[in-house]
Amino acid sequence: MLHSLLHYIEKSPDCFHAVHTLSRMLEESGYVRLPEGSSELEAGGKYYTVRSGSSLIAFRIPKGQPRGFLLTGSHSDSPCFRVRDHAELAGAYTRLSVERYGGMLNASWLDRPLSVAGRVLVKQGSRIETRLVDLEKDSVLIPNVAIHLNREANNGAKYDPARDLQPLFGGSDAKGAFRRELADKAGCAPEDILATDLFVYNNQPGTVWGPEGEFVSAPRLDDLACVFACAQGFLMATETEEIPVLAVFDNEEIGSGTKQGAESMFLPDTLQAICQARGLDLRRLLTQSMMLSCDNGHGVHPNHPELADANEAPVLNGGVVIKHSPRYATDGLSSAVFSELCRRAGVPVQHYSNRPDQAGGSTLGNIANTKVGVSTVDIGMAQLAMHSCFETAGSRDVEYFIRAVTAFYGAGLRMEDGAVLLDD
Ligand code: CO
């Protein structure tokens, strides 16, 4: 399973590819792609829909009368550099003009070969088409300044994104080469590329390491490890009376407030369309629904245990992490239900809280809840170096997470006022 995860990450250099690769996976399992809002849904049918190429919702229609939805939410985007449409910066060398996307650890991106992927908009007669492109090969690099030219380099580095983080692409004579490479990949003429949505990404393959293979390191583990694990659980779960829903949102790293983000109407619109097609009452179903908001959490750092909370500090390979914060969607009820589902599935659970003097991060669960009010628990895998371009997690946690999500999608839950009844 770890190698399937690494394969998924390799085939998902950016949010568009992450959704495209997931779409292929769903189609191989018999899922049919629908335009948004489609009302042609059959009992027993397996469907998915995509918004803007970078967010996806998949679901199955049960044969009987569904009671509610069992949802997972995760995110397709990761911190990276966005490449401008007018990308080439001329000078002594040719550099690419980029800006930061999300809260990245700057230093991790320097002195390593990087590549470029995303989508280009191509003019074909009177049609404007989207084409996914991935240069795949080592294409750019952001060089450090030598220690001899910056004696302060080891005393805490500060990076000016406009000056220090623009990647080197080629020599001064490389004018036009970037667009030619893109056109080559897109199968069009350079002048037919009208616009681009491109990202610089780390193309280093992931690796499983440690004396027992206990660690997995790869780019974009946050949050593609959760996307992959949620998809596996969604596909493997036994059928219940509920409607299983797999939601993957773009733009979590910049606050989710876009037309395809967790704050958008994509999820409520899709659930409403399902209800309309099947003659169901959305509001009633939502009272009988639950969501796992899946985004990785911080494991105790081997060199900095003092940064973790005194009591709720997960370790790598210690099990699925339930994340608690006033800013998260987790509450006592959702935490209790999820813990009990994990206990039944033989999956260890750990708890994470920020140190009381730290604000911590945010995620998509509470944001999605403002549009779709269902009982939600924030969970994730414990990881190190979050938002580095090469992150590390626990190998066993990937298995645990898939088992937990599979158990969740296979669960029968009956919500009462302040109580939940779990089917045996
Ligand atoms: Co995340």
Side-chain angles (χ1 to χ4, degrees):
M1 208 47 109
L2 281 175
H3 290 280
S4 305
L5 165 65
L6 294 182
H7 182 73
Y8 175 67
I9 290 173
E10 229 170 284
K11 293 285 171 203
S12 304
D14 61 87
C15 53
F16 300 109
H17 282 87
V19 161
H20 176 76
T21 308
L22 179 57
S23 302
R24 293 287 86 76
M25 211 189 282
L26 290 165
E27 278 171 17
E28 278 165 24
S29 299
Y31 284 74
V32 177
R33 180 167 177 161
L34 296 175
E36 262 195 73
S38 177
S39 54
E40 306 286 304
L41 305 178
E42 286 169 22
K46 307 196 282 189
Y47 305 102
Y48 76 98
T49 187
V50 171
R51 183 176 279 189
S52 278
S54 58
S55 292
L56 178 149
I57 297 177
F59 53 91
R60 293 190 289 273
I61 306 294
K63 294 229 164 66
Q65 191 68 6
R67 206 161 42 195
F69 297 99
L70 293 173
L71 308 110
T72 62
S74 52
H75 66 90
S76 60
D77 61 326
S78 301
C80 61
F81 292 94
R82 207 177 72 81
V83 183
R84 268 81 183 274
D85 265 24
H86 305 94
E88 287 180 4
L89 291 170
Y93 304 95
T94 302
R95 295 174 302 154
L96 296 189
S97 170
V98 303
E99 66 186 296
R100 289 179 298 175
Y101 174 92
M104 60 181 29
L105 281 171
N106 291 330
S108 68
W109 289 82
L110 275 73
D111 294 336
R112 58 160 79 226
L114 302 163
S115 195
V116 175
R119 68 175 181 183
V120 294
L121 283 303
V122 176
K123 185 173 150 68
Q124 293 286 285
S126 55
R127 257 171 82 81
I128 298 170
E129 292 178 1
T130 293
R131 301 214 181 139
L132 296 192
V133 291
D134 181 1
L135 297 187
E136 290 172 282
K137 65 178 176 121
D138 299 341
S139 302
V140 294
L141 183 143
I142 307 170
N144 256 303
V145 170
I147 186 76
H148 317 82
L149 304 179
N150 177 15
R151 294 286 179 191
E152 292 303 307
N154 292 327
N155 299 330
K158 221 175 161 188
Y159 298 96
D160 172 354
R163 188 190 59 194
D164 299 317
L165 300 178
Q166 303 297 310
L168 173 66
F169 171 70
S172 62
D173 55 353
K175 191 169 171 11
F178 181 60
R179 195 151 273 242
R180 283 198 296 279
E181 287 191 9
L182 292 175
D184 205 43
K185 287 286 182 187
C188 67
E191 59 273 20
D192 290 338
I193 297 177
L194 299 183
T196 63
D197 292 309
L198 296 170
F199 304 95
V200 171
Y201 75 95
N202 179 9
N203 61 339
Q204 181 181 347
T207 177
V208 177
W209 60 281
E212 309 280 338
E214 55 263 66
F215 301 119
V216 54
S217 297
R220 304 179 291 286
L221 285 176
D222 170 18
D223 193 30
L224 296 187
C226 286
V227 173
F228 175 82
C230 288
Q232 294 301 316
F234 175 78
L235 293 172
M236 291 191 304
T238 52
E239 296 307 323
T240 69
E241 288 173 33
E242 324 301 344
I243 303 175
V245 179
L246 172 77
V248 178
F249 298 106
D250 190 8
N251 301 131
E252 191 280 334
E253 299 295 356
I254 53 165
S256 297
T258 60
K259 67 184 180 305
Q260 64 274 5
E263 199 179 359
S264 73
M265 292 300 288
F266 185 32
L267 182 59
D269 285 351
T270 304
L271 300 185
Q272 182 64 59
I274 294 171
C275 287
Q276 252 161 21
R278 303 301 302 161
L280 302 166
D281 178 350
L282 176 62
R283 280 168 65 181
R284 209 164 58 83
L285 258 65
L286 290 181
T287 67
Q288 295 297 316
S289 299
M290 185 165 172
M291 172 151 70
L292 308 182
S293 160
C294 304
D295 201 357
N296 282 351
H298 304 296
V300 175
H301 193 285
N303 300 338
H304 287 283
E306 77 283 1
L307 296 176
D309 183 71
N311 212 23
E312 299 200 324
V315 293
L316 272 55
N317 292 313
V320 176
V321 177
I322 299 180
K323 295 154 62 181
H324 304 266
S325 153
R327 297 162 73 185
Y328 286 161
T330 305
D331 62 15
L333 186 67
S334 63
S335 175
V337 171
F338 183 71
S339 302
E340 177 59 13
L341 289 174
C342 285
R343 190 195 62 76
R344 290 181 174 196
V347 174
V349 161
Q350 321 182 73
H351 294 269
Y352 175 86
S353 286
N354 299 316
R355 239 172 49 169
D357 57 350
Q358 285 180 345
S362 61
T363 185
L364 52 83
N366 58 326
I367 295 172
N369 275 183
T370 62
K371 299 291 189 301
V372 176
V374 299
S375 180
T376 299
V377 57
D378 283 289
I379 60 169
M381 295 175 214
Q383 70 159 89
L384 302 173
M386 188 178 286
H387 293 191
S388 165
C389 77
F390 204 66
E391 301 173 319
T392 295
S395 301
R396 287 199 297 280
D397 289 334
V398 178
E399 293 290 342
Y400 290 146
F401 204 91
I402 293 171
R403 232 194 296 159
V405 174
T406 308
F408 167 72
Y409 275 127
L413 303 175
R414 202 179 297 270
M415 312 289 184
E416 295 164 11
D417 190 18
V420 177
L421 186 72
L422 284 81
D423 289 354
D424 288 324

